[in-house]
Structures are given as C-alpha cells and as structure tokens.
Amino acid sequence: MKTQLLLGLLCLHLTLSAATVKDSILALVPGSDEVFRYGYNELSPADQAKYEAILTAILQFDANKAGGIDHRVDIPWSSDMNALTAMLRRMQTDVPQLWVLFNYIPRYNYDTYQARISTVNTPESFLHDLLTIDTVFRKITAPITPDMSAYHKVKVLHDGFIAEVSYGNPSGANAGNIKGALIEKRAVCEGFSRAFLYLCQGVGIRCVYVSGSNTNGRHAWNHVEVDGKWYVVDLTADGAFAGHCGYDGFLRGQTYFDEHYTIADDDVPYNNLPTLSATDCPEPAQQPTSVETCSEVPMIDVTRPMFNVVGQRVGANYRGIVIQNGRKYVLNR
C-alpha cells in the first residue's frame, strides 16, 4: 500500500520533502530483522547493530549541495579502516539495493569514518529507481500464492526473471546490479544474481549471492534454501535471452557445484557459505496451475568453433546461448 501511494505521488509529479524522500527509501529497503541477510546473521549482536547503523546512514544520504556525483555519508564507526571496509563489502553482498555504492573510500574523521558514495543518483532519483524496481518485483511475483511450495516459489522467480531480462551490456555502468537487471533489463551474471537475491528476499526465500569462477572465468550465482536444504541456482546458465530458458542450473546440489564452480577465500565476504545438499532438489509431485514451465530453446552439440553473445570463442565443452544463422541455441557442456 505504501509503495502504491508513493508511486502515485511521483506519477502526479508532486514534490516530496527531503525527509519524506528519506522515509520512503527506508520503507522500500527492509531492515535486517525483516528480511534474511546471510552476512548479517553471521555477526554478533554488537556488530549487527553497527551494520544496521551503517546501512541506515547510507540509505539516508544527501545530494551534494555543490553538485557532482560524489555523495559523502558520515558513518558511525569506532574501529579500524580495514574493519569498516570489510563491513561495507559484507553489506554490498547482502543488500542488493546498494547499487548506489559503485565505489567507496572510507576516510578517517577524528572519531568517525566517512564513506564516499560515488553515484549519479540523488535521493529523489534513487527513490524513483526503487519504486520502478518494486513494480517489476510485483509483476514477477504475481503468480506466487501463500500456499505455494518453496520449490515452486523459486521456480516462479527463476522463470519470471528470465522472461523479463536479457544477458548483455557487460561494459554498462549497471550491468552488475539490480538497476541494470530490473530497470534496464540487460545485465551480466553479477546483475542476474543480485536481482535474484532481491526477488528471493522479497518473498521470504533464504538466498545468498555468491561470486567465484566457473569453467569460463569469473562468475556469480546464488545459493537458495528450499525445505531446509541449500542448492545452487544459476540464472546465467539457464537463460540469457528473454523468454527462453532451461533448468540446467536450477536447484542443483553439491555434485553439480563441484563440477562447475570454484570459490577462493577472497571471493565472498562471509565466514562460511551454507552447506549445499548432496543431491539436487526434487520437484514436488503437485504442480500448481499458476506455475508455467518456461520455453526451452533447442539443444545442439557444437563440433566447430562458435562465438557466444559477448564475442568469446566457444567450443564443444561450453554451455550458453549463442546465435547461429539468426536462431538462438543452448550449447551442451
């Protein structure tokens, strides 16, 4: 109801006060006691309080009075610079709405630290983006019902996202965040995975954004909890073109992970990632009528060099979507 009211106000071009804009932003970014954030839950109660204070400070930023794109936020902090940097990195992984943090440089200011937020957003434009993204969220999640299984909720998010968003624009400023994915509708694996985290958080599904490597280089994906067990969901493996998707990377277990992914110590900011299920997630026998299976593109075996959508040469051991003679294909690994 609050979101609909705010959207109506913006559509009517009413001027909101600075305080109203800030309150509205906070209303659209839930607190860590309202939504599951993996990194937050790892912290001690004292560090959780610091985390929430920093998050609130960042979301309440002011536009620079002198103009420019560097918005500086005073952050309550009493520890060393490295600890602040580690906390900010944890928050960036936990909170997909923090695309305003393109870059940050913690700076010492007597007994506080100061984080520089580099962004073209003003508070008003940030609020506008949040409202637009919320509209896309409500569209993707519309088929979800309260009695739907967690498996099928994840499937609705998986299929709905792939129907909305295409893979691409790797050099774009927002290709790695939810603005690129859910507003511009083009993103790379990082943007896919942050957007999926955002969708899962919004419907109460426990989810983690994970970065590391796969057989083709640097990559990002998600770990998702269904019925008390954790599984891999890799949207990039399943769909790079709107309306075409598969389920190769959908709710897969430890064996699939071991075959396809590598995580180094500095890839994720958490103490530990959740332990994956030994097996893939079984599909419930009962299929809700509101859940439709996404259309899959043809599978072909590649016997000669081809090129994927970002111009990389690929061969028989690559899986992805390519264009050949004007048609889209999914390649076997």
Side-chain angles (χ1 to χ4, degrees):
M1 184 63 70
K2 289 181 179 178
T3 299
Q4 293 172 340
L5 176 60
L6 287 169
L7 187 57
L9 290 174
L10 288 178
C11 290
L12 290 172
H13 302 286
L14 296 179
T15 301
L16 301 176
S17 69
T20 302
V21 169
K22 291 184 177 183
D23 289 344
S24 302
I25 288 172
L26 287 182
L28 288 165
V29 184
S32 299
D33 58 343
E34 302 173 280
V35 67
F36 177 78
R37 293 187 174 125
Y38 188 83
Y40 172 86
N41 287 347
E42 282 192 326
L43 299 174
S44 68
D47 282 341
Q48 287 179 344
K50 295 176 183 178
Y51 180 114
E52 279 298 290
I54 293 172
L55 177 58
T56 300
I58 291 172
L59 295 174
Q60 298 285 275
F61 72 91
D62 291 311
N64 284 343
K65 295 178 180 178
I69 65 171
D70 291 336
H71 302 284
R72 299 181 181 181
V73 179
D74 287 326
I75 289 178
W77 193 256
S78 59
S79 188
D80 61 73
M81 187 81 71
N82 290 335
L84 174 58
T85 301
M87 181 70 82
L88 288 169
R89 184 164 176 254
R90 178 180 292 259
M91 290 171 53
Q92 281 187 294
T93 308
D94 263 357
V95 187
Q97 292 91 338
L98 288 186
W99 72 82
V100 292
L101 277 175
F102 285 133
N103 296 291
Y104 58 84
I105 305 172
R107 293 180 178 274
Y108 183 72
N109 181 16
Y110 296 102
D111 61 347
T112 66
Y113 283 88
Q114 189 175 74
R116 177 176 297 168
I117 301 174
S118 298
T119 173
V120 296
N121 278 94
T122 63
E124 291 76 15
S125 66
F126 183 43
L127 174 59
H128 180 271
D129 286 347
L130 287 173
L131 288 165
T132 304
I133 287 170
D134 182 70
T135 299
V136 179
F137 166 82
R138 286 184 278 116
K139 177 182 178 182
I140 291 174
T141 60
I144 292 178
T145 58
D147 59 342
M148 188 176 287
S149 69
Y151 177 99
H152 287 115
K153 288 180 180 178
V154 175
K155 188 171 183 292
V156 168
L157 301 182
H158 172 278
D159 295 1
F161 176 86
I162 291 173
E164 287 286 320
V165 186
S166 295
Y167 185 93
N169 196 27
S171 61
N174 295 304
N177 62 49
I178 67 173
K179 181 176 181 179
L182 298 178
I183 295 180
E184 299 171 5
K185 303 298 180 71
R186 287 182 69 82
V188 295
C189 60
E190 184 180 3
F192 275 39
S193 302
R194 293 191 191 280
F196 193 71
L197 172 62
Y198 168 79
L199 295 173
C200 285
Q201 288 179 342
V203 299
I205 297 292
R206 293 189 169 201
C207 179
V208 182
Y209 169 88
V210 186
S211 60
S213 302
N214 65 3
T215 54
N216 299 300
R218 298 297 300 169
H219 192 50
W221 64 96
N222 298 96
H223 290 178
V224 179
E225 186 185 53
V226 172
D227 298 332
K229 295 182 179 180
W230 287 87
Y231 303 92
V232 169
V233 172
D234 189 340
L235 288 175
T236 312
D238 289 350
F241 290 91
H244 295 80
C245 66
Y247 299 98
D248 187 61
F250 182 69
L251 294 177
R252 304 300 297 269
Q254 185 68 49
T255 299
Y256 180 85
F257 174 88
D258 291 341
E259 292 175 350
H260 296 93
Y261 306 103
T262 302
I263 299 178
D265 290 341
D266 60 349
D267 283 331
V268 293
Y270 304 138
N271 300 332
N272 298 286
L273 283 171
T275 301
L276 293 172
S277 169
T279 59
D280 299 342
C281 185
E283 181 175 4
Q286 187 73 25
Q287 178 86 350
T289 56
S290 59
V291 176
E292 298 180 0
T293 301
C294 66
S295 58
E296 298 191 54
V297 295
M299 300 292 294
I300 59 172
D301 289 312
V302 180
T303 57
R304 64 183 186 279
M306 299 180 69
F307 295 85
N308 65 11
V309 292
V310 293
Q312 297 170 325
R313 183 168 173 166
V314 300
N317 294 323
Y318 178 85
R319 179 177 174 83
I321 297 181
V322 299
I323 299 176
Q324 181 184 27
N325 298 327
R327 295 190 64 191
K328 303 183 186 81
Y329 294 95
V330 175
L331 308 184
N332 289 318
R333 290 190 192 280

